[in-house]
Each structure stands twice: as C-alpha cells, then as structure tokens.
Amino acid sequence: QHHRWIAPGENDLRSPCPGMNTLANHGFISRDGRNITIPMVIRAVDIVYNTPSGPDLNLALKLALLTTDAPDSFTLDDLKLHVHGTMEHDASLSRSDESIGDSIHFNSTVFATIAEANPDSDVYDTTSVGQAMEERLALAKQANPNLLNTVKERHSQLLEASLFLSVMGDARTGVAPKKFVHVFFYEERLPLVEGWHRPSHPTTSTSLANIMAQLDKASQAKGPWIPSSLITCPW
Ligand code: HEM
Ligand code: MG
C-alpha cells in the first residue's frame, strides 16, 4: 500500500527517465521528485529492479549530481539539463529532442517506432529494438537538423535500451514482454498486476555489456552508425 502507484501531482517533479519516474510514482524515491540522494537510488533500484550497485549505475548517479548546484542531492527535473550533454540526449526512444520539443514527458508519437517493432510477437528482443533504434535515429535526424549523436550519446542510448529490456524482461537474453514494457513507458508504473515481478536475474555491468553489443549490431542493419560529430564533449 505504501508503494502503490500514484500519478505525479502538479507540484511533483519528473525526469526524462522512465526508470526513475516509475520509482518516484511508487514512492521508492521521493514522490515529489526532490532531494534525491545517491544512497536512496542505489537502494531503490536494487529492491525494485534487481540492479545492484555497479560501475554503470554509479556513473549515472555521479553525473546526476553534476546537473545541480546542490552538494549531494538532485531533483528529477535537474536531469533534463543538457549541461554540456551531461545526461539528457537527442533521439530518445520516448521523448522529443530538447531543441524541438519536450524532452521530459513521454510522447506516444515518438514511441511509435518502438511500439510498432516486432509486430507479430508479444515480446521485444535485441534484434527488434536494435532495428527500431536505427529507425528512430533516422527520423530524429530528419526532424532535428542540429541533432547531437556522438559516441557518448550512442553509449547512453545503448545502455538505456538494454536497461528496459533487462528490468522489464530477462537480463540474460534481453527479451521482454511488450505488455510490461508498455506499462513502464506509457504509465511509468511497475506492471505488477500484469504479472511482472522483480527480475530473478540481476542487471549488472556484464549483463548490460552483452545486451548492448547485440543492440549495437542490430541497430546497424541498414548501414553503419555514424557519429554526428567526432568532437565529443567529455563528461
Ligand atoms: C533515460 C531506464 C536509472 C537518468 C532512460 C531510458 C530508459 C531508462 C529506458 C530511455 C528513455 C528514452 O529513450 O526515451 C532506466 C532504468 C534505470 C535507470 C531501468 C534503473 C535501473 C537511471 C539513473 C539515472 C537515470 C540512476 C540518473 C540519476 C536518465 C536520464 C535519461 C534516462 C537523464 C534521459 C536520456 C534521454 O533519453 O535523453 N532511462 N534508467 N536513469 N535515464 Fe534512466
Ligand atoms: Mg532525450
């Protein structure tokens, strides 16, 4: 009951991350999206998603602190800040680009590329999501002439796609039921009533690297991925 899903209220802050927003909507991190600390998130993602503390998660959390002036906490809407591309990036799977629209809130038109992937199946896998990533990037380039997609953004994209396949599905195979993934993105809710439970296999840097390599390959079926620029602003 304490962790039931409650939609964010008018004064609650939310981020471009469906994973973090879902934790807030269930009260595993502050429901108002404020005063989020690193220990709070490390505990929440382990309890909820079986994603124990590791290099990727720790890096994401350290970067989150760079988006704010507060010494040791951040708010969910801090995370939207580009701050030289610290966290939020273009060509997201479910959000518009910052320079042409709303980069925080879920956008079903943008998400259609994923929603329409693997049409004859009930699951997403690395092949279908990889192909959808390639398609989404091509559409994003058409829509946004200033699109930024260097090796750094590319790494984040592969990591994020691996994350939703792992926590809504199986971290070993990268196969996730569509109904779970859709509740996660559309409602930012844990699909518990739909039959999802905390994954029995942990999502680790090793498991993520495996899924990321498969996505990397599948997302270059039509042609090699080419960075929008060779200059990458370092973290
Ligand atoms: C984006 C999942 C942890 C910050 C994303 C996306 C997914 C995701 C699927 C891509 C959304 C899209 O392309 O539209 C998760 C999961 C997590 C997690 C399952 C936990 C296991 C975190 C943490 C942070 C974070 C700890 C930082 C505090 C972000 C940000 C984005 C993002 C800033 C936006 C990037 C963009 O698409 O422009 N996350 N995430 N995430 N995540 Fe997370
Ligand atoms: Mg984005």
Side-chain angles (χ1 to χ4, degrees), residues 179-200:
K179 64 176 178 186
F180 296 169
V181 172
H182 291 176
V183 168
F184 177 73
F185 272 100
Y186 284 84
E187 299 176 50
E188 301 188 328
R189 174 167 71 73
L190 296 172
L192 291 160
V193 289
E194 286 79 7
W196 177 88
H197 54 79
R198 179 181 187 264
S200 36

Side-chain angles (χ1 to χ4, degrees), residues 16-20 41 45 49 51 57 60-61 64 74 79 87-95 103 160-161 163-164 167 184-185:
C17 175
M20 296 290 287
V41 179
V45 297
Y49 300 129
T51 302
L57 173 66
L61 286 165
F74 58 93
L79 300 181
M87 295 222 85
E88 200 285 317
H89 57 72
D90 289 338
S92 301
L93 298 175
S94 68
R95 269 79 171 156
S103 68
E160 291 154 11
L163 271 172
F164 85 75
V167 305
F184 177 73
F185 272 100

Side-chain angles (χ1 to χ4, degrees), residues 6 24 60 66 68 78 84 99 118 158 173 192 226:
I6 303 175
L66 294 180
T68 178
D78 283 333
H84 302 293
S99 58
N118 222 14
L158 291 168
T173 59
L192 291 160
I226 298 162

Side-chain angles (χ1 to χ4, degrees), residues 108-184:
S108 58
T109 308
V110 171
F111 191 69
T113 313
I114 294 286
E116 287 160 16
N118 222 14
D120 299 323
S121 169
D122 293 337
V123 298
Y124 290 118
D125 56 18
T126 54
T127 308
S128 50
V129 170
Q131 285 168 357
M133 285 178 71
E134 184 168 29
E135 213 174 301
R136 168 66 187 128
L137 182 58
L139 290 170
K141 277 182 188 159
Q142 283 172 21
N144 178 8
N146 299 318
L147 176 126
L148 186 70
N149 194 240
T150 72
V151 285
K152 191 175 78 176
E153 289 78 24
R154 171 78 173 168
H155 178 85
S156 299
Q157 290 176 303
L158 291 168
L159 182 67
E160 291 154 11
S162 307
L163 271 172
F164 85 75
L165 288 171
S166 301
V167 305
M168 286 297 121
D170 191 319
R172 297 164 300 175
T173 59
V175 175
K178 285 183 175 177
K179 64 176 178 186
F180 296 169
V181 172
H182 291 176
V183 168
F184 177 73

